[in-house]
């Protein structure tokens, strides 16, 4: 009886509970909407969380409003630097809406901005899986994939010769008794798997990158070796015995070498390995099984160098002109690239850049024979430890050909053992690039047979450093005129001792001139060397300002007439008041730009520069002074702007810009992010007749057959990786667009002529279309593997800048097709070009 009475009460209670829940949900929805109206996003977010927890069936109804609320609340938390709260909110949201690709993508964007690239990639990847047509997530994933899985992984895995030689050396060592193996910096795990297949009893592998570690776990499992290879997500320097591995190993294998050999930390990791992880090395003449002794593959390396002439390196690392579009560059401003190696700088910067010398545009000329720089024995602990403390070695290399000294190019031979070796020489077909040490700060770069190129080589900070490069003349005495050694004076203004020293040493006509060293990225130096770019902007700006001048004169005359009618003030005041308002020009180019100074020479102009670095501002001030252009006239816009992300504002409360210069194309060859949004804001800030530069951009492309692009974009099957199944896993990180290409030297066969793919108009937005189809006429039979593209930046209808020109500081990019398409001469191929925000996708319409 009691139990039968209990049932109705439970049902009633259940009904009351449901009614109570519905009431609470309804009230929470109302409160959320009220809070949104009051812009109280934090409270609104809390109410929506409650609604979604209690009534998940409402998620489709409130999804968009909830997303908006989350994003606005996240912005506030970000501004307040409440990072943990921000991440917590996203995690809560994704617990309730795990399949929401928009929230996944937004979470990834926050993580990426905070520097958590691995984690960001995971969220972008998930967003793309949830919605393969979600362009924002795809673009984000492609960009972050380039950071996480660098493109050289694909190139190296496709290098059959490299894989075979490493495999042979590992097999030989294991056959001789080295049965326990540690693979340092395992990447995809390929060397560990070589060791296991060769018969190693125990194999350990460490990898610091979370993405690469997880990738290696998948690869090892797919090759049925997960129980045989122990993978560690850590630096080798942090491995402890017996905490992480049970005992010292008899063999370390590694390929943690970059173009400059030491740049990936091989010396530090091997010093630590010899001291803590490896068995003691076998001494000469000692007998016994290799199992009792430690050894390293690679065993040693020999580093080589060569002095070269190379116009492409020169234009990216030396400002070679004195006058740019009428602007004189004074001698007291010294431009240097980051690859310039100063002994005195506290910061550890990679003292070289890298190039594939066999593909450098315009080629290069060897000015000396190749010479041996250094030999390193990776199996000698004392030698490794002495590298960083050893005094620099001095070299004097005879010149064999006359030419311009532009760089010392460096490569090495990696001796894996006494039988197997790999060379990274520019004359070899290899996956490696070469290290390039640009020559800077010489008074004269022309050298000839009989001269000697001198330099000092050291291994400071475990980087190979080549410094104090100078030229010894024919008479075998140091020609002081050819050696400009003030490289140590990286002056910071304001240091009295430095300034006194600089003034004492300066060879300028002005005794009171201050020398300023201005470090520029290589693309910024190439831009300064681009005369066509600056002349084009000068001409286009002059045309716009000339067209606006009559309007300004009318305004001045009207003011003058009004003053006369009112009879106010003295004649001097009338003159002052009749001075027309200046033209306001804003340059929001990324990085260093002298366009504001060029604009300032075009009449009554008030130019604004958005450069950020102090040394760049000081350099622009010095250039202004040298050109008799009062430095007070040039304004640094970011000093006037409270929020650096809102650079596009009026110059003064009631004024408008005559010209706004936007950076539309990245140096990599892609369209800048959010450029359409910036153009929309810019249009609202222009005076009548004012212009955005460029006014529009034309995108061009052509069809090519290029095996090189295919191999650099994805691992090709299992044959190149010696039967190991790696391709499907690493190819998840392949991206359809290759950037930083030099189309002039790319190995490819053009199968069509260039065609216009897209027009982006920044002044007249209704001319833009989100998608179009382009017919391409095939002029040569072959396989289409890629579509390289570039741009014409149209400052106006007559003045164009070609991003594929020889002088361009921009590189080109290419879409690489998943599957090649066979075409015959005379056919037509239809391309579908889609434009969404700043993202452009090009696909072949089948």
């Amino acid at each position: 009886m009691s139990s039968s009475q209990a049932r109705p009460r439970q049902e009633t209670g259940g009904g009351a509970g449901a009614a109570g829940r519905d009431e609470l949900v309804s009230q929470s929805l109302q409160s959320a909407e009220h809070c949104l109206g009051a812009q109280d996003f934090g409270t609104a977010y809390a109410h929506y969380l409650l609604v979604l927890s209690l009534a998940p069936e409402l998620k489709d109804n409130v999804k968009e409003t909830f997303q908006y609320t989350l994003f606005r609340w996240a912005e506030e938390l970000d501004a307040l630097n409440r990072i943990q709260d921000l991440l917590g909110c996203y995690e809560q949201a994704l617990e309730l809406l795990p399949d929401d690709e928009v929230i996944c993508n937004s979470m990834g964007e926050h993580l990426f901005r905070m520097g958590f690239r691995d984690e960001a990639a995971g969220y972008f990847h998930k967003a793309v899986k949830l919605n393969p047509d979600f362009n924002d997530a795809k673009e984000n994933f492609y960009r972050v994939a380039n950071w996480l899985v660098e493109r050289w992984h694909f190139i190296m895995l496709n290098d059959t010769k490299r894989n075979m030689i490493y495999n042979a050396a590992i097999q030989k060592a294991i056959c001789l008794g080295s049965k326990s193996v540690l693979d340092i910096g395992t990447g995809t795990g390929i060397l560990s798997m070589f060791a296991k297949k060769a018969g190693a009893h125990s194999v350990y592998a460490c990898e610091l990158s979370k993405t690469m570690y997880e990738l290696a776990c998948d690869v090892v499992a797919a090759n049925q070796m997960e129980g045989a290879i122990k993978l560690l997500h850590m630096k080798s320097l942090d491995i402890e015995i017996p905490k992480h591995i049970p005992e010292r190993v008899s063999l370390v294998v590694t390929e943690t070498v970059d173009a400059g050999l030491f740049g990936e930390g091989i010396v530090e990791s091997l010093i630590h390995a010899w001291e803590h992880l490896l068995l003691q090395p076998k001494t000469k003449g000692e007998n016994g099984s290799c199992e009792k002794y430690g050894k390293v593959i690679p065993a040693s390396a020999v580093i080589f160098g060569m002095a070269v002439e190379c116009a492409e390196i020169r234009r990216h690392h030396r400002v070679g002109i004195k006058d740019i579009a009428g602007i004189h560059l004074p001698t007291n401003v010294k431009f240097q690239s980051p690859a310039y190696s100063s002994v005195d700088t506290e910061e550890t910067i990679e003292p070289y850049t890298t190039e594939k010398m066999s593909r450098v545009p315009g080629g290069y000329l060897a000015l000396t024979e190749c010479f041996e720089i250094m030999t390193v024995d990776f199996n000698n602990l004392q030698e490794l430890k002495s590298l960083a403390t050893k005094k620099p070695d001095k070299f004097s290399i005879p010149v064999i050909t006359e030419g311009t000294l532009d760089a010392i190019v460096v490569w090495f031979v990696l001796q894996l053992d006494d039988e197997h070796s790999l060379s990274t020489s520019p004359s070899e077909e290899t996956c490696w690039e070469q290290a390039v040490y640009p020559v800077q700060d010489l008074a004269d770069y022309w050298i000839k047979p009989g001269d000697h190129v001198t330099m000092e080589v050291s291994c400071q900070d475990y980087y190979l450093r080549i410094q104090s490069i100078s030229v010894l003349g024919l008479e075998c005495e140091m020609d002081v005129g050819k050696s400009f050694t003030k490289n140590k004076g990286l002056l910071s203004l304001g240091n009295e001792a430095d300034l006194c020293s600089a003034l004492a040493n300066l060879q300028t006509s002005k005794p009171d001139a201050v020398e300023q060293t201005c470090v520029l990225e290589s693309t910024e130096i190439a831009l300064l060397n681009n005369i066509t770019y600056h002349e084009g902007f000068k001409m286009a700006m002059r045309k716009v300002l000339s067209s606006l001048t009559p309007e300004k004169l009318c305004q001045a005359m009207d003011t003058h007439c009004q003053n006369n009618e009112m009879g106010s003030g003295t004649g001097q005041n009338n003159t002052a008041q009749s001075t027309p308002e200046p033209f306001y020009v804003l340059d929001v180019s990324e990085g260093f730009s002298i366009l504001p100074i060029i604009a300032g020479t075009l009449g009554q102009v008030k130019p604004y520069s958005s450069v950020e670095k102090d040394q760049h501002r000081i350099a622009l001030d010095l250039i202004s002074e040298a050109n008799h252009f009062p430095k007070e006239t040039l304004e640094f816009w970011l000093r006037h702007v409270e929020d650096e992300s809102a650079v596009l504002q009026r110059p003064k409360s009631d004024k408008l810009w005559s010209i706004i210069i936007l950076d539309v194309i990245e140096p990599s060859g892609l369209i800048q992010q959010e450029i359409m949004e910036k153009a929309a804001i810019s249009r609202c800030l222009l005076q009548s007749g004012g212009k955005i530069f460029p006014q529009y951009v034309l995108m061009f492309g052509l069809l090519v057959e290029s095996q090189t692009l295919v191999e650099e974009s994805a691992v090709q099957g299992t044959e190149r990786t010696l039967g190991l199944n790696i391709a499907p896993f690493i190819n998840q990180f392949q991206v359809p667009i290759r950037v930083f290409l030099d189309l002039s030297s790319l190995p490819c066969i053009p199968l069509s002529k260039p065609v216009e793919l897209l027009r982006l108009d920044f002044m007249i937005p209704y001319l833009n279309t989100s998608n179009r189809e382009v017919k391409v006429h095939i002029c040569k039979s072959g396989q289409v593997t890629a579509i390289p593209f570039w741009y014409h930046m149209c400052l106006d209808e007559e003045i164009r800048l070609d991003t594929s020109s020889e002088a361009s500081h921009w590189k080109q990019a290419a879409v690489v097709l998943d599957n090649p398409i066979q075409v015959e001469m005379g056919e037509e191929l239809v391309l579908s070009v889609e434009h969404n925000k700043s993202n452009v996708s090009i696909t072949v319409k089948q």
Side-chain angles (χ1 to χ4, degrees):
M1 180 77 179
S2 60
S3 63
S4 64
Q5 285 177 341
R7 284 191 203 107
R9 275 202 295 272
Q10 284 178 350
E11 286 166 12
T12 306
R21 187 205 68 159
D22 292 345
E23 179 65 25
L24 185 55
V25 167
S26 176
Q27 285 175 0
S28 293
L29 279 173
Q30 286 175 10
S31 299
E33 287 165 16
H34 175 75
C35 291
L36 276 183
Q39 297 207 323
D40 180 359
F41 299 111
T43 312
Y45 168 76
H47 282 301
Y48 277 123
L49 271 188
L50 184 60
V51 169
L52 288 167
S53 301
L54 293 174
E57 68 275 8
L58 293 179
K59 71 176 181 183
D60 289 339
N61 298 346
V62 300
K63 184 176 173 179
E64 285 187 18
T65 321
F66 175 64
Q67 287 172 352
Y68 170 76
T69 308
L70 170 64
F71 299 158
R72 292 303 300 271
W73 178 225
E75 282 173 18
E76 287 186 21
L77 292 171
D78 199 8
L80 294 166
N81 207 28
R82 289 171 56 186
I83 303 306
Q84 283 305 117
D85 291 337
L86 183 154
L87 297 177
C89 286
Y90 271 99
E91 283 165 6
Q92 288 171 328
L94 285 169
E95 277 178 27
L96 294 167
L97 300 171
D99 296 334
D100 190 314
E101 72 274 21
V102 179
I103 295 177
C104 277
N105 182 58
S106 184
M107 173 71 152
E109 288 175 338
H110 279 289
L111 287 166
F112 187 73
R113 279 197 292 273
M114 293 172 203
F116 300 110
R117 292 173 182 157
D118 279 297
E119 292 79 1
Y123 283 101
F124 293 145
H125 199 212
K126 184 179 178 184
V128 174
K129 276 187 171 178
L130 289 167
N131 181 0
D133 297 323
F134 187 14
N135 284 322
D136 286 1
K138 276 200 291 191
E139 186 67 22
N140 282 331
F141 179 66
Y142 296 154
R143 283 174 187 264
V144 82
N146 274 316
W147 284 102
L148 292 173
V149 180
E150 295 186 76
R151 303 301 96 186
W152 51 258
H153 280 289
F154 299 102
I155 301 166
M156 291 182 93
L157 288 165
N158 280 323
D159 187 340
T160 312
K161 179 182 173 184
R162 166 253 184 197
N163 296 338
M164 286 175 71
I165 290 173
Y166 251 99
N167 187 37
I170 290 169
Q171 271 188 344
K172 180 179 173 183
I174 290 168
C175 285
L176 290 172
S178 300
K179 300 291 187 183
S180 55
V181 181
L182 171 63
D183 177 4
I184 295 177
T186 192
T188 57
I190 189 169
L191 301 187
S192 297
M193 292 188 289
F194 286 163
K196 195 66 217 167
K197 284 179 78 174
H201 295 158
S202 46
V203 181
Y204 312 98
C206 62
E207 174 57 51
L208 182 58
S209 158
K210 183 170 183 282
T211 302
M212 292 308 298
Y213 164 75
E214 289 173 352
L215 182 60
C217 289
D218 290 342
V219 169
V220 166
N223 288 276
Q224 286 83 48
M225 295 189 203
E226 66 267 49
I229 297 172
K230 183 178 180 180
L231 286 157
L232 302 164
H233 176 215
M234 62 198 309
K235 265 197 223 179
S236 69
L237 301 177
D238 296 329
I239 295 176
E240 294 175 24
I241 294 172
K243 186 176 177 182
H244 302 112
I245 62 176
E247 57 192 354
R248 287 181 177 246
V249 297
S250 52
L251 176 65
V252 159
V253 297
T254 188
E255 200 183 29
T256 48
V257 291
D258 70 339
L261 186 63
F262 303 130
E264 284 190 20
I266 190 170
V267 175
E268 303 100 305
S269 60
L270 290 182
I271 288 172
H272 177 268
W274 277 116
E275 288 180 337
H276 302 284
L277 307 174
L278 268 163
L279 293 167
Q280 291 307 300
K282 184 189 277 192
T283 54
K284 277 187 182 175
E286 199 169 349
N287 291 320
S289 167
C290 286
E291 200 167 350
K292 296 177 184 175
Y293 303 100
K295 68 185 286 189
V296 172
I297 293 177
S300 62
V302 186
I303 305 172
F304 296 93
M306 179 170 66
V308 301
E309 173 180 292
C310 179
E312 183 69 5
I313 292 171
R314 185 188 319 144
R315 78 184 185 93
H316 278 88
H317 295 278
R318 280 207 309 267
V319 177
I321 47 182
K322 300 290 180 219
D323 294 280
I324 305 171
I327 299 297
H328 174 68
L329 298 181
T331 54
N332 62 327
V333 177
K334 302 289 176 196
F335 295 105
Q336 290 176 347
S337 76
Y340 177 77
S341 177
S342 170
V343 203
D344 295 336
T345 50
E346 291 177 13
E347 225 179 326
T348 303
I349 302 169
E350 206 167 76
Y352 47 85
T353 182
T354 63
E355 292 283 352
K356 187 85 168 166
M357 293 303 294
S358 60
R359 272 167 51 183
V360 73
Y364 66 94
L365 173 69
L367 301 177
T368 65
E369 301 281 5
C370 80
F371 56 96
E372 187 176 310
I373 292 175
M374 187 186 290
T375 301
V376 186
D377 184 351
F378 294 126
N379 284 296
N380 186 325
L381 176 59
Q382 293 318 118
E383 188 176 316
L384 291 173
K385 288 172 93 167
S386 70
L387 272 175
T389 54
K390 198 171 141 200
K391 283 187 177 176
D393 289 323
K394 294 187 168 147
F395 287 83
S396 180
I397 311 300
V399 175
I400 57 167
T401 309
E402 70 174 3
T404 304
L405 176 59
D406 292 315
I408 307 297
V409 172
V410 166
W411 65 94
F412 53 86
V413 172
L414 211 54
Q415 201 69 45
L416 302 188
D417 57 23
D418 54 7
E419 184 184 348
H420 302 98
S421 65
L422 287 167
S423 170
T424 69
S425 160
S427 60
E428 294 275 339
E429 272 299 316
T430 170
C431 57
W432 273 284
E433 294 183 327
Q434 290 75 46
V436 173
Y437 295 78
V439 177
Q440 302 179 63
D441 267 4
L442 296 185
D444 182 6
Y445 296 90
W446 184 257
I447 58 175
K448 59 193 181 304
D451 290 343
H452 282 69
V453 178
T454 67
M455 67 198 78
E456 291 184 355
V457 177
S458 65
C459 191
Q460 187 185 320
D461 305 319
Y462 295 119
Y463 276 113
L464 181 70
R465 294 184 179 274
I466 299 180
Q467 293 161 312
S468 305
I469 300 169
S470 57
V471 178
L472 201 64
L474 190 58
E475 65 282 1
C476 294
E477 289 179 3
M478 178 61 77
D479 181 349
V480 178
K482 279 203 170 187
S483 179
F484 191 79
T485 56
K486 293 199 298 296
N487 51 4
K488 293 182 184 179
L490 295 176
L491 300 183
S492 55
L493 293 187
N495 182 320
E496 196 175 336
D498 280 350
L499 290 181
C500 291
S501 168
L503 293 174
N505 287 303
L506 277 178
Q507 300 171 339
T508 58
S509 56
K510 290 174 72 178
D512 58 346
V514 175
E515 181 175 315
Q516 170 66 14
T517 297
C518 187
V519 179
L520 300 181
E521 295 299 325
S522 59
T523 51
E524 293 173 317
I525 291 177
L527 175 57
L528 271 183
N529 283 321
N530 189 342
I531 293 174
T532 309
Y533 174 95
H534 293 97
E535 291 284 4
F537 265 98
K538 183 177 183 177
M539 205 182 308
M541 286 193 288
R542 183 184 280 136
K543 282 160 78 172
V544 170
L545 297 176
S546 298
S547 72
L548 295 172
T549 301
E551 182 187 320
K552 292 277 186 187
L553 288 175
C554 289
Q555 286 175 5
M557 287 171 68
D558 289 346
T559 308
H560 187 64
C561 293
Q562 285 168 14
N563 288 340
N564 284 344
E565 285 167 16
M566 291 166 68
S568 61
T570 63
Q572 189 177 352
N573 282 341
N574 285 339
T575 309
Q577 287 186 345
S578 68
T579 304
E581 184 73 29
F583 297 110
Y584 293 97
V585 175
L586 174 63
D587 178 13
V588 288
S589 302
E590 300 277 333
F592 188 80
S593 169
I594 64 162
L595 293 179
I597 299 178
I598 293 172
T601 65
L602 298 175
Q604 199 163 358
V605 172
K606 184 70 176 168
Y608 288 78
S609 164
S610 60
V611 298
E612 297 178 48
K613 296 178 182 174
D614 286 340
Q615 58 167 310
H616 292 178
R617 290 175 179 174
I618 295 164
L620 287 175
D621 275 341
L622 291 173
I623 294 168
S624 299
E625 284 178 358
N627 287 275
H628 313 293
F629 176 70
K631 70 176 182 181
E632 294 75 22
T633 313
L634 176 65
E635 292 280 357
F636 293 108
W637 185 227
L638 292 181
R639 284 182 184 163
H640 303 271
V641 178
E642 286 182 16
D643 179 5
E644 288 192 10
S645 63
V647 187
L648 293 165
Q649 302 174 14
R650 285 171 177 255
K652 292 180 181 175
S653 59
D654 60 338
K655 306 301 177 190
L656 292 166
W657 300 102
S658 302
I659 295 170
I660 297 177
I661 299 165
L662 296 179
D663 222 343
V664 174
I665 309 299
E666 294 178 3
S668 66
L670 296 179
I671 293 170
Q672 286 276 9
Q673 289 287 284
E674 299 179 356
I675 194 62
M676 303 311 290
E677 293 88 335
K678 286 179 184 171
I681 297 168
S682 300
R683 286 193 295 274
C684 302
L685 300 173
L686 288 176
Q687 70 170 96
S688 175
K691 297 287 187 240
I692 296 170
F693 284 152
Q695 294 185 39
Y696 62 96
V697 166
L698 300 176
M699 181 182 190
F700 288 87
L702 82 161
L703 308 178
V704 301
E705 181 174 335
S706 173
Q707 188 59 26
T708 299
L709 277 181
V710 170
E711 290 177 9
E712 291 180 0
S713 301
V715 175
Q716 306 298 304
T718 59
E719 190 178 325
R720 292 166 186 264
T721 51
L722 314 190
L724 292 170
N725 184 17
I726 299 174
F729 303 95
I730 194 163
N731 287 350
Q732 289 179 77
F733 290 88
Q734 73 182 95
V735 295
I737 294 183
R738 283 275 285 120
V739 293
F740 285 109
L741 292 175
D742 278 305
L743 195 49
S744 65
S745 60
L746 176 72
C748 69
I749 303 164
L751 303 180
S752 75
K753 289 183 177 168
V755 292
E756 185 183 314
L757 298 174
L758 185 69
R759 176 187 169 117
L760 289 182
D761 203 300
F762 305 115
M763 288 296 299
I764 314 169
Y766 66 78
L767 292 177
N768 296 325
T769 53
S770 58
N771 52 64
R772 64 183 298 221
E773 290 186 354
V774 180
K775 289 182 179 175
V776 186
H777 184 74
I778 306 298
C779 58
K780 184 179 178 68
S781 300
Q783 282 199 329
V784 179
T785 59
I787 307 161
F789 56 88
W790 63 96
Y791 311 88
H792 284 182
M793 307 248 295
C794 303
L795 304 184
D796 57 28
E797 291 297 338
E798 293 160 350
I799 302 170
R800 290 186 178 191
L801 302 170
D802 183 350
T803 68
S804 70
S805 74
E806 193 179 314
S808 170
H809 69 289
W810 292 286
K811 299 291 189 187
Q812 297 81 55
V815 172
V816 183
L817 305 186
D818 283 338
N819 299 301
I821 296 172
Q822 186 66 42
V823 292
E824 301 298 327
M825 191 172 76
E827 289 180 352
E828 276 189 340
L829 210 59
V830 179
L831 301 181
S832 174
V833 184
E834 290 189 31
H835 170 237
N836 171 53
K837 295 183 182 174
S838 303
N839 305 326
V840 177
S841 67
I842 306 166
T843 51
V844 178
K845 197 167 181 192
Q846 297 288 1

